[in-house]
Amino acid sequence: MAITGNGSLTISLSVFVISAAFLLKVEGQNLGTDNVSVIEGEMATISCRVKNNDDSVIQLLNPNRQTIYFRDVRPLKDSRFQLVNFSDNELRVSLSNVSLSDEGRYVCQLYTDPPQEAYADITVLVPPGSPIMDSREDVVSEGNETELTCTAMGSKPAASIRWMKGEQELTGEMTVDETYDRMFTVTSRLRLTVSKEDDGEPVSCIIDHPAVKDLRAQRYLEVLYQPEVKIVQAFPEGLTREGENLELTCIAKGKPQPHQISWLRVDDDVPSHTVITGSDLFIENLNKSYNGTYRCVASNTVGDAYDDYILIVYDAPTTIPTPTTLNLDNTQDSRADEGAPQKIDHAVIGGVVAVVMFAILCALIVLGRYFARHKGITAHLGSLAVTMLPLA
């Protein structure tokens, strides 16, 4: 029907207003969903959510655009799909026992004009099998290179492989192969040069994959190394002197254990009466002609090693008389004389008596002379003096 003039303008404006209102209404109904990652054999859940729904119909389609659920009705015969929740604002469906064939893009559809769609990608994760670890050789000698391989088979996506030696992380060379069924096999090769310190060290390959945790394999390195040799002086404990005996012990360790230990004297022969018993060397009655370098050599299948002992014979100790201790201190410890009997020196006493008697005699003579002058008794005193002389 054709309408011209003002009527045509009125109808056009009406159609515009109706269309704009419809578009605003559609844009106000926001349809949303989320991508899902699920491990093979487990359950995935798809949620179709609507904001500000006006009773429009929600349905879920599979990657082949077949309807799985129309509102709360399931047209599809696959019973692994189950309704979890249905309301005006959500259609939530679970899929159990997920397989690789279930992977793809699922469609949440809202029946508006035009219909709205939101997409949920289901990604199926397949964990790798137990890693297979191998070594080029079971036993390796120190200083040589060995190679270890670690393989993680049948995973999706491809796994990554890390290496650890003890607490040290190492880097390997990794290759990835894709199989026909979208699965991946990953192999990592680790090359390392070993030392004797690596003997018994654990080496682990660790598999990193979103579908599995703490998946690893481990081996212990077995390293052969040449002997370590050390000479110990068992006797004497101090200096080696003339006339004494000398005993040396050779301590040798290696892998394998040294099968031969021998003694020699560098640049000369060992003394003729030296006794060597396995790892022990014994020399009696040392003298300075035995001075020199004595060497212990140990051997195993890896190689030889040695240690040297330098013998220096010193003079025998001389005998020195025990010195007499002089007491330069005139003081005496009083406690030393306590309780000791006193000794009488008769010679000293006799001398004292003689001096006293001589003094008395002299005094008498002087007195005699004095009295002789005064009273005439000289004769009497003289006889008295003579009488006392024997007493002196």
Side-chain angles (χ1 to χ4, degrees):
M1 179 177 63
I3 300 177
T4 59
N6 293 335
S8 175
L9 178 59
T10 301
I11 293 173
S12 298
L13 289 173
S14 299
V15 171
F16 175 77
V17 170
I18 294 171
S19 299
F22 178 77
L23 288 174
L24 288 172
K25 180 179 179 181
V26 170
E27 290 177 358
Q29 299 179 117
N30 296 323
L31 179 64
T33 187
D34 300 306
N35 294 328
V36 179
S37 293
V38 59
I39 298 174
E40 184 182 33
E42 297 187 0
M43 179 181 290
T45 301
I46 304 172
S47 176
C48 301
R49 300 179 300 277
V50 182
K51 184 179 179 181
N52 302 325
N53 192 9
D54 63 346
D55 296 330
S56 298
V57 176
I58 309 173
Q59 69 171 349
L60 177 64
L61 310 178
N62 67 12
N64 296 324
R65 299 194 72 87
Q66 296 171 324
T67 301
I68 301 172
Y69 267 91
F70 183 84
R71 297 177 64 90
D72 57 349
V73 179
R74 189 187 74 211
L76 197 66
K77 300 301 181 182
D78 192 342
S79 62
R80 295 180 303 142
F81 289 97
Q82 294 293 321
L83 184 65
V84 178
N85 182 54
F86 174 73
S87 67
D88 290 339
N89 298 317
E90 184 185 37
L91 172 62
R92 191 189 314 163
V93 177
S94 66
L95 171 61
S96 60
N97 195 23
V98 175
S99 65
L100 279 174
S101 61
D102 296 320
E103 193 173 66
R105 173 164 289 186
Y106 289 75
V107 182
C108 293
Q109 193 175 73
L110 183 65
Y111 266 88
T112 57
D113 189 12
Q116 293 187 56
E117 292 185 350
Y119 305 102
D121 292 326
I122 289 186
T123 301
V124 179
L125 307 176
V126 181
S130 297
I132 301 172
M133 189 175 179
D134 199 7
S135 177
R136 187 171 61 192
E137 53 267 310
D138 294 331
V139 180
V140 59
S141 298
E142 65 173 333
N144 291 342
E145 183 184 77
T146 187
E147 180 180 285
L148 295 93
T149 60
C150 183
T151 303
M153 301 178 64
S155 68
K156 180 180 175 297
S160 61
I161 299 177
R162 295 182 292 120
W163 291 93
M164 296 290 293
K165 185 183 75 170
E167 299 298 324
Q168 179 186 6
E169 185 165 357
L170 305 175
T171 303
E173 181 182 340
M174 194 162 59
T175 58
V176 180
D177 297 321
E178 183 176 1
T179 60
Y180 66 93
D181 53 355
R182 295 180 296 164
M183 306 287 278
F184 296 89
T185 295
V186 181
T187 300
S188 180
R189 290 177 172 82
L190 175 68
R191 296 181 179 89
L192 70 157
T193 301
V194 298
S195 65
K196 63 183 177 183
E197 289 77 14
D198 293 324
D199 183 46
E201 192 77 7
V203 177
S204 305
C205 70
I206 304 169
I207 309 301
D208 292 326
H209 192 273
V212 69
K213 293 181 179 179
D214 198 27
L215 188 61
R216 66 176 63 200
Q218 181 174 276
R219 292 180 69 114
Y220 290 90
L221 294 174
E222 186 172 357
V223 181
L224 304 180
Y225 52 91
Q226 67 181 19
E228 297 175 325
V229 184
K230 181 180 180 181
I231 297 176
V232 176
Q233 180 178 312
F235 184 85
E237 294 183 357
L239 296 176
T240 49
R241 297 185 180 278
E242 286 187 307
E244 294 183 344
N245 299 332
L246 173 66
E247 183 177 353
L248 302 178
T249 297
C250 181
I251 301 174
K253 297 180 180 179
K255 188 170 183 179
Q257 190 66 20
H259 61 268
Q260 181 178 354
I261 296 178
S262 58
W263 286 91
L264 60 91
R265 184 179 178 186
V266 179
D267 299 330
D268 205 345
D269 296 331
V270 296
S272 59
H273 60 283
T274 301
V275 177
I276 297 176
T277 307
S279 60
D280 297 329
L281 178 144
F282 181 80
I283 306 175
E284 64 178 357
N285 195 20
L286 292 174
N287 63 62
K288 293 185 178 181
S289 66
Y290 299 161
N291 287 346
T293 301
Y294 293 78
R295 176 172 296 174
C296 173
V297 182
S299 306
N300 64 7
T301 56
V302 181
D304 302 332
Y306 66 87
D307 188 27
D308 287 338
Y309 172 86
I310 299 176
L311 174 61
I312 300 176
V313 179
Y314 295 88
D315 293 333
T318 57
T319 302
I320 301 175
T322 303
T324 302
T325 303
L326 298 178
N327 184 8
L328 301 180
D329 189 356
N330 293 327
T331 62
Q332 295 184 3
D333 189 348
S334 60
R335 292 172 298 175
D337 295 333
E338 287 180 0
Q342 300 296 324
K343 295 182 179 180
I344 300 174
D345 194 337
H346 296 281
V348 174
I349 295 174
V352 173
V353 171
V355 171
V356 172
M357 294 304 295
F358 180 76
I360 293 173
L361 180 61
C362 292
L364 289 175
I365 294 173
V366 172
L367 287 174
R369 289 180 178 178
Y370 175 79
F371 286 111
R373 293 193 194 108
H374 293 82
K375 296 181 179 181
I377 57 173
T378 304
H380 176 73
L381 292 175
S383 62
L384 179 61
V386 171
T387 304
M388 297 181 65
L389 283 174
L391 295 176

